[in-house]
Amino acid sequence: MGFRASELVLPKRLWMVLSFLCFSIAEFAHAKAQIEGVRLWRAPDHTRVVFDLSAPLEHKLFSLENPHRLVLDMESAGNKFALADLDLNKTPIRRIRSGARDKQDLRVVLDLHEAVKPRSFLLKRHGDKPDRLVLDLFDKSLKTEKKLEQAQPSQKRDIIIAVDAGHGGEDPGAIGPGGLREKAVVLAISKELVRQINQVKGYKGKLVRTGDYYIGLRKRRNIARDIRADLFISIHADAFKHPSASGASVFALSRRGATSETARFLARKENEADLIGGVGGVSLEDKDEVLAGVLVDLSMTASLSSSLQVGDKVLKSMGKIAKLHKRRVEQAGFAVLKSPDVPSILVETGFISNPKEAKNLGSSRYRKKMASQIFKGVRSYFDDKPPVGSYLAWVKNGQKEGRPREYIIARGDTLSGIALEYNVSVAALKKANKLRNSRIRVGQRLKIPTS
């Protein structure tokens, strides 16, 4: 038995609710997504532009020449942001302008100084972040990286430390009291750590991220491989929902993560699988599948063992100035640590969500102390196990052979401290270097006599 909608008897209030819903749905269908904000970051090889949107939308991107331009068409969109306010300094973008297209759509035009390789993608609303349209402009002028050549070990090469400041750019990391951002804190610590590394003869520090921009996790560890790093350190500041959580931590890769990464590494037919083993690496191109698997597994196992050892040294050193969250190196499957041939650790310098530790992390003096303790842990490890062919190995062998050693004075060094470190007397140091007193200066070279 059928009936017509007009025959339905509904309460007046329900009819009003249904009418309101129908009107709202119709309005929503015709509502425009709005650009509510635009942010821009410059990285060494590309520029990222992020559009904050009030709702998801469809878009098209294409390039034009004579002059070079990028055109971004957004369907059913409007603009609430003043594009002229963006700082375009040191980017390939000369000007950004926008206008209505076919009444409903929005066209954004980027006038360029030079041609770029563009890429765009949408990010869905997540947490406190709105829907976003991300536009990456990769520099065409950069030379394509050549395949790494197998390096011949030097008898006095530097130990290379890759220091990775977590997060960056669109990803601020954890937010502490007063708006303290993890990405800024860890970049400051990383820069200070590299500065201290480069003051010590036999060491060379390299920043993975040099400014406020984002780098993918796998690319971070690949940068460390490209520079043939002896150690990769990723610097972070932890956070938890309860502000009482506190303490510094050190992480290494879990064995489960190492096993899965070995399989993934072998499965990929890219340049990253061509060489393993750091300096003097082994090519996998001419190895059969079984042998290649054994080589990568051995390299991964050795790297993990070294990671745990250096992580333990760093953790104990950090414990002299900071409370420790755990008194042993923890292990987890962090993607950034999954390098088959570079020992890698992730250092949580403290809980930025803890008011007391956030205050410390916001202090430049404390950040210098933290960087110093991290490096002391690293030096302790490499003093015991210097890489073959390194300057430190040469010095250590010279100690065994009775050959005079050499030390370059860094800021904060004292003659008594150096004597204690090398197990020699202050008098012996003065005699070997013809010093009349205990006064030393930064950069001065000291001969270290055998004990």
Side-chain angles (χ1 to χ4, degrees):
M1 180 177 177
F3 58 86
R4 295 192 302 272
S6 60
E7 295 174 348
L8 287 173
V9 179
L10 297 173
K12 183 177 180 181
R13 181 173 293 178
L14 185 57
W15 274 114
M16 292 174 65
V17 170
L18 290 173
S19 299
F20 175 76
L21 288 174
C22 291
F23 176 79
S24 298
I25 292 171
E27 282 294 302
F28 179 78
H30 292 91
K32 283 187 175 184
Q34 297 288 334
I35 296 178
E36 297 185 327
V38 185
R39 295 179 306 287
L40 182 147
W41 287 276
R42 176 63 190 168
D45 62 344
H46 73 284
T47 299
R48 169 164 286 190
V49 185
V50 179
F51 298 88
D52 289 333
L53 306 173
S54 62
L57 50 69
E58 297 292 328
H59 75 283
K60 294 179 181 177
L61 177 68
F62 58 93
S63 302
L64 296 174
E65 297 180 349
N66 299 321
H68 295 297
R69 287 156 289 162
L70 275 182
V71 180
L72 184 63
D73 285 338
M74 306 183 195
E75 295 184 9
S76 300
N79 182 25
K80 292 183 177 180
F81 187 80
L83 297 173
D85 294 340
L86 288 171
D87 182 6
L88 305 178
N89 187 36
K90 296 182 181 179
T91 76
I93 306 170
R94 181 167 53 85
R95 180 178 59 165
I96 303 180
R97 48 198 170 93
S98 67
R101 178 178 176 271
D102 298 335
K103 296 183 179 180
Q104 290 292 322
D105 301 338
L106 175 70
R107 169 164 285 184
V108 176
V109 179
L110 286 76
D111 297 312
L112 306 173
H113 293 294
E114 58 186 7
V116 296
K117 295 178 180 178
R119 178 188 68 172
S120 64
F121 56 93
L122 289 166
L123 292 174
K124 293 182 179 180
R125 182 182 297 270
H126 178 72
D128 60 347
K129 293 183 173 63
D131 290 289
R132 285 154 290 161
L133 172 58
V134 180
L135 181 61
D136 283 334
L137 315 180
F138 291 93
D139 301 341
K140 270 191 172 181
S141 57
L142 290 177
K143 296 179 180 179
T144 305
E145 290 185 6
K146 296 181 180 179
K147 178 182 171 182
L148 288 172
E149 297 179 0
Q150 294 194 30
Q152 297 300 320
S154 165
Q155 290 302 309
K156 298 180 185 179
R157 72 172 184 85
D158 290 333
I159 293 174
I160 300 174
I161 313 293
V163 181
D164 169 46
H167 307 282
E170 178 68 4
D171 176 14
I175 308 294
L180 186 66
R181 295 189 171 195
E182 181 183 1
K183 67 174 184 178
V185 168
V186 298
L187 181 60
I189 294 173
S190 297
K191 286 182 174 180
E192 175 60 23
L193 177 54
V194 166
R195 187 191 70 81
Q196 293 188 24
I197 290 171
N198 288 331
Q199 282 191 334
V200 178
K201 184 173 176 61
Y203 285 92
K204 188 174 185 179
K206 288 279 191 178
L207 282 169
V208 171
R209 173 169 74 86
T210 59
D212 185 16
Y213 53 88
Y214 183 76
I215 303 176
L217 298 179
R218 295 196 184 279
K219 185 175 180 181
R220 292 171 189 254
R221 68 102 196 267
N222 287 343
I223 288 173
R225 297 192 70 242
D226 288 346
I227 64 173
R228 295 305 182 80
D230 295 281
L231 177 65
F232 173 86
I233 306 175
S234 189
I235 306 292
H236 290 257
D238 219 337
F240 195 64
K241 57 185 177 182
H242 299 303
S244 58
S246 62
S249 308
V250 175
F251 286 85
L253 182 64
S254 69
R255 293 195 177 276
R256 178 178 297 178
T259 302
S260 62
E261 187 64 12
T262 297
R264 191 204 65 81
F265 188 81
L266 283 169
R268 294 186 63 172
K269 304 298 182 183
E270 295 184 7
N271 285 344
E272 69 172 12
D274 289 341
L275 295 172
I276 61 170
V279 174
V282 178
S283 173
L284 298 180
E285 290 181 328
D286 57 346
K287 307 298 187 294
D288 63 38
E289 188 175 338
V290 175
L291 179 55
V294 171
L295 289 171
V296 172
D297 189 55
L298 285 172
S299 180
M300 203 81 176
T301 302
S303 294
L304 180 53
S305 176
S306 297
S307 301
L308 291 168
Q309 292 175 46
V310 70
D312 183 63
K313 297 279 190 181
V314 169
L315 188 66
K316 288 176 179 175
S317 182
M318 290 167 61
K320 293 179 180 179
I321 66 161
K323 175 187 174 182
L324 297 181
H325 188 63
K326 293 282 179 68
R327 294 200 169 271
R328 61 177 178 80
V329 177
E330 300 176 75
Q331 292 181 259
F334 289 111
V336 77
L337 299 180
K338 295 182 178 181
S339 179
D341 53 357
V342 180
S344 305
I345 59 173
L346 185 146
V347 176
E348 295 281 7
T349 53
F351 278 80
I352 201 170
S353 53
N354 180 291
K356 182 178 179 181
E357 295 192 353
K359 184 178 179 180
N360 284 337
L361 292 170
S363 160
S364 60
R365 184 178 179 183
Y366 183 82
R367 291 196 292 254
K368 286 182 179 180
K369 284 184 178 180
M370 179 58 69
S372 178
Q373 293 307 122
I374 293 172
F375 186 36
K376 282 180 180 178
V378 170
R379 289 186 68 180
S380 177
Y381 169 77
F382 283 117
D383 282 346
D384 291 340
K385 297 184 177 180
V388 175
S390 66
Y391 172 79
L392 260 66
W394 178 79
V395 169
K396 192 169 186 177
N397 290 334
Q399 180 181 2
K400 293 177 182 177
E401 298 165 4
R403 185 176 65 231
R405 292 165 290 169
E406 186 180 63
Y407 182 81
I408 298 180
I409 304 300
R411 191 177 301 279
D413 281 338
T414 62
L415 205 61
S416 59
I418 297 169
L420 182 64
E421 183 177 348
Y422 282 91
N423 194 28
V424 297
S425 67
V426 172
L429 270 178
K430 288 181 177 179
K431 183 178 180 181
N433 294 276
K434 299 178 180 178
L435 299 176
R436 294 181 179 179
N437 52 47
S438 297
R439 198 173 300 159
I440 53 177
R441 65 181 187 280
V442 174
Q444 182 180 353
R445 296 175 184 268
L446 291 183
K447 291 180 181 179
I448 310 295
T450 54
S451 57

